[in-house]
Amino acid sequence: MSVRPWRDIVRRQSRQIMVGNVPVGGDAPVTVQTMTNTATSDVKATIDQIRRCEEAGADIIRVSCPDVESTTALKQIVRAARVPIVADIHFHYKRALEAADAGAACLRINPGNIGSADRVNEVVNAAKANGAAIRIGVNAGSLEKDLLEKYGEPCPEALVESALDHIKLLQDRDFHEFKVAVKASDVFLAVAAYQQLADAVDCPLHLGITEAGGFVGGTVKSAIGIGSLLWFGIGDTIRVSLSAEPEEEIRVGFEILKALGIRNRGVRVVSCPSCARQGFDVIRTVQALEERLQHIRTPLSLSVLGCVVNGPGEARETDIGLTGGGNGKHMVYLSGLTDHTVEDADMLDHIVKLVEAKAAEIEAANAEPAQAAE
């Protein structure tokens, strides 16, 4: 039995597929995706942006392929990328064929929107021949006309019916390497649609609140929608859609996973909102530490609290803790225990060094069993 059963998440059982060399679904970690916003035909700009996203921790990256110039560039982009590349295709089935031949690990399409049965056959055959997966991307903003007429408006039932229709097109052609999304900008609609779809199919589900908004608003909506579904155990891969740089989507995605204890990467910061009791500028200190610790990938925890009201208690639960004191002298905790003090002037550099040292210690400890097994 779990020590803390209120924190347990029972994950929905789904089939596992491969997106390039990354498993999605089954017992694989929930993956974090983003999408480039450069012109795909601009190879250098796109690869530069992909590299920033990779450094932020992206597991999978999607690029739009609206024209032949984009699919021509895709071959070079795929070779340069360190993570699987998904080609985003709308309507033009030939772009899907070209993207599959260019090495895309996955094709994002709606099979019902690319034309005749013969065209669907061609796309499926190209995916099979090139080992590419397919993501069915249903969106409340682009539902089929017959479904809108049937239901009167985008609703969970309409999104799910659209998804099932597209799934059937693939299954009828003996293609099963697919995942599905039923996205909406309305959090209630998206969550309800995903819940219904999760009960109806066993394929991996790609979560997202589409057109969520700017950095702050989009982060909140995504955290509510994606976070709720993950808490229910639903979801195998996620994309946080923000009107922000794609690397920010990756950071928010990991923060959602970290908050739920689903997947940990980098430093988890526990910090107070600050008040008149603070012994140092908590807000600026946390901003500086988050910026300077982005390079840390090892999971560990850091508490930064301005005073002794909650500081010692939070420090007991984190790897490294900092609590504000008087006269510019602050208490540092290591592994939950009071250890030493640090002066204002040295505080930032000192905490960064402690975190880096702790990360190195954890990495070394993790490496020992692996070396012993060899």
Side-chain angles (χ1 to χ4, degrees):
M1 184 175 176
S2 173
V3 175
R4 299 181 179 88
W6 63 88
R7 295 183 62 179
D8 292 347
I9 293 175
V10 180
R11 189 170 173 190
R12 163 185 171 268
Q13 292 299 303
S14 64
R15 288 187 294 106
Q16 188 173 100
I17 68 169
M18 296 299 295
V19 177
N21 61 354
V22 174
V24 175
D27 59 357
V30 176
T31 56
V32 181
Q33 304 189 25
T34 187
M35 185 173 182
T36 57
N37 56 31
T38 54
T40 306
S41 55
D42 187 338
V43 173
K44 183 181 184 306
T46 302
I47 291 174
D48 286 347
Q49 191 170 74
I50 286 172
R51 198 67 75 229
R52 292 194 296 275
C53 294
E54 290 170 338
E55 290 169 359
D59 299 300
I60 299 169
I61 298 175
R62 181 157 45 115
V63 301
S64 183
C65 293
D67 47 43
V68 70
E69 290 79 14
S70 298
T71 52
T72 300
L74 190 63
K75 192 168 188 178
Q76 190 174 344
I77 291 167
V78 167
R79 283 201 306 265
R82 299 169 187 153
V83 300
I85 297 297
V86 178
D88 193 75
I89 310 294
H90 289 277
F91 305 113
H92 303 290
Y93 84 102
K94 286 188 176 179
R95 303 292 85 79
L97 306 180
E98 294 157 1
D101 289 341
C106 182
L107 307 174
R108 188 278 187 198
I109 61 169
N110 281 348
N113 291 347
I114 58 176
S116 65
D118 287 341
R119 290 183 176 181
V120 176
N121 289 339
E122 285 194 60
V123 172
V124 169
N125 289 337
K128 286 181 177 179
N130 291 281
I134 288 177
R135 173 160 82 85
I136 295 170
V138 176
N139 193 303
S142 55
L143 276 172
E144 296 90 327
K145 289 182 180 179
D146 63 317
L147 291 176
L148 287 175
E149 290 173 359
K150 177 179 178 179
Y151 291 98
E153 65 175 2
C155 62
E157 292 75 16
L159 268 68
V160 171
E161 185 170 332
S162 176
L164 294 177
D165 288 344
H166 292 306
I167 287 171
K168 188 174 187 303
L169 288 173
L170 298 183
Q171 290 178 330
D172 286 349
R173 290 158 176 81
D174 196 28
F175 189 89
H176 307 282
E177 291 293 302
F178 60 84
K179 50 186 174 150
V180 184
V182 281
K183 294 186 177 183
S185 59
D186 182 300
V187 174
F188 296 95
L189 173 55
V191 170
Y194 275 111
Q195 288 175 318
Q196 289 186 24
L197 186 63
D199 289 336
V201 298
D202 70 346
C203 61
L205 298 183
H206 171 110
L207 303 187
I209 305 299
T210 194
E211 285 94 41
F215 183 77
V216 175
T219 294
V220 172
K221 286 178 68 175
S222 297
I224 293 170
I226 296 173
S228 296
L229 288 164
L230 291 170
W231 201 337
F232 298 150
I234 296 170
D236 303 286
T237 183
I238 67 173
R239 190 256 172 122
V240 177
S241 298
L242 302 175
S243 299
E245 291 305 315
E247 52 265 45
E248 296 299 330
E249 296 186 349
I250 295 298
R251 295 186 182 109
V252 173
F254 270 104
E255 288 299 324
I256 293 172
L257 295 178
K258 284 160 65 175
L260 291 167
I262 291 172
R263 188 173 172 192
N264 291 313
R265 179 187 186 277
V267 182
R268 178 175 63 86
V269 178
V270 176
S271 61
C272 67
S274 80
C275 69
R277 293 190 303 266
Q278 64 183 355
F280 58 88
D281 188 337
V282 173
I283 293 174
R284 304 296 178 273
T285 298
V286 170
Q287 288 174 341
L289 287 171
E290 286 183 334
E291 181 67 28
R292 292 181 61 177
L293 296 174
Q294 284 184 18
H295 65 291
I296 303 293
R297 299 193 175 192
T298 308
L300 59 91
S301 53
L302 167 67
S303 58
V304 182
L305 285 96
C307 77
V308 296
V309 172
N310 292 319
E314 293 292 350
R316 281 196 297 269
E317 306 299 323
T318 54
D319 295 303
I320 298 167
L322 174 67
T323 295
N327 301 317
K329 187 175 288 188
H330 316 297
M331 183 57 65
V332 176
Y333 303 78
L334 301 179
S335 300
L337 301 176
T338 303
D339 194 271
H340 60 275
T341 60
V342 64
E343 302 282 346
D344 259 333
D346 306 319
M347 185 173 64
L348 277 176
D349 288 342
H350 185 69
I351 296 299
V352 169
K353 287 178 182 177
L354 287 175
V355 171
E356 290 175 337
K358 184 64 178 179
E361 176 189 324
I362 293 170
E363 287 299 307
N366 290 340
E368 287 177 6
Q371 292 172 351
E374 292 174 358

